[in-house]
Amino acid sequence: MDKVATQRKGNQHLYPPLDPFDQRMMEVGEGHKIYVEQCGNPSGIPVIVLHGGPGGGCSPAMRRYFDPETYRVILFDQRGCGRSRPHASVEDNTTWHLVRDIEAIRTALDIERWIVFGGSWGATLSLIYGETHPERAAALVLRGVFLMTQSELSWFYGGGAGKFFPELWDRFSGLVPVEERDDLIAAYHRRLFSGDIAEETRFARTWTAWENALASIDSAGMGGDSPADYARAFARLENHYFTNAGFLELDGHILKNVGRLEGTPGYIVQGRYDMICPPHSAYALHKAWPGSEIRMIGHAGHALSEPGISAELVSIMDRLRRDPVIRETAA
């Protein structure tokens, strides 16, 4: 969802491109191997980047939000996507497996505490990780907040966002028979897991295109098809997680447990016109989380690459690198 045309505009606010100093495949159990990389300063302040989706994978642009002389930046592809294997697999692939994988990475890299940086589903995972292991999160930096609630899913897959983009919604919902349109997540699930690769790919591309089309405030509508391998992993994993309500015990899990983040600094960056993850979730999180900061970006949608969002995230990370508490605790 972050690979959109505004990326070129957002790049002007980022640090120059850089290559990893470490790349590895980690075995994390249940037959899964995940891709992990490190870049920046090997002795710097550690920050782990959690990508969106689920199923989006990390990208080289995500390395560039951090001063490479100050930060030790860790990126990884979550189970089933990107360079992780097996590709597009939903077996033993849940939120709690991912939380366990993050801890496995931290232990393998001998890191005591780190900054957790994530957007969209990456913000969801950041919050769940932070609530599960508050002693390991020196700070959370979040973008495009998604709280993994049924109301958010209903907004995006039940017609709410479609009222603003009726022609795009018609393409997304129109691929499914009328009698199944009352639950498009379930209807797509049947086809994304049909066992027919051609059908799975066709529905995966349409699922992915609907999200990509609404990511940027300057979107001109659905663009070309995503590569088949990317779309199939993205759509299958995302649908799998949404079908299972994020594998959380109850709707509203994150806000119910936000008290566990007391004392953990939180920085929330939200596009005012985010059609995928509307601002009410980010604001509700901020109100429930004493000490958190929120910045609503006026001319911005959902994408990481929105110029205003990129600029604010870089500004926050530049501020944190000078924070003596962060420098002392994130080591």
Side-chain angles (χ1 to χ4, degrees), residues 212-231:
N212 283 342
L214 273 61
S216 169
I217 193 171
D218 294 323
S219 172
M222 288 187 177
D225 285 336
S226 297
D229 283 351
Y230 172 83

Side-chain angles (χ1 to χ4, degrees), residues 229-268:
D229 283 351
Y230 172 83
R232 187 165 171 271
F234 180 87
R236 279 167 56 93
L237 266 67
E238 196 167 76
N239 183 279
H240 165 68
Y241 273 74
F242 296 167
T243 296
N244 290 284
F247 300 92
L248 304 179
E249 292 183 357
L250 74 162
D251 199 31
H253 172 96
I254 290 173
L255 289 185
K256 179 178 174 58
N257 291 281
V258 75
R260 293 181 59 82
L261 294 175
E262 183 177 358
T264 302
Y267 305 87
I268 303 165

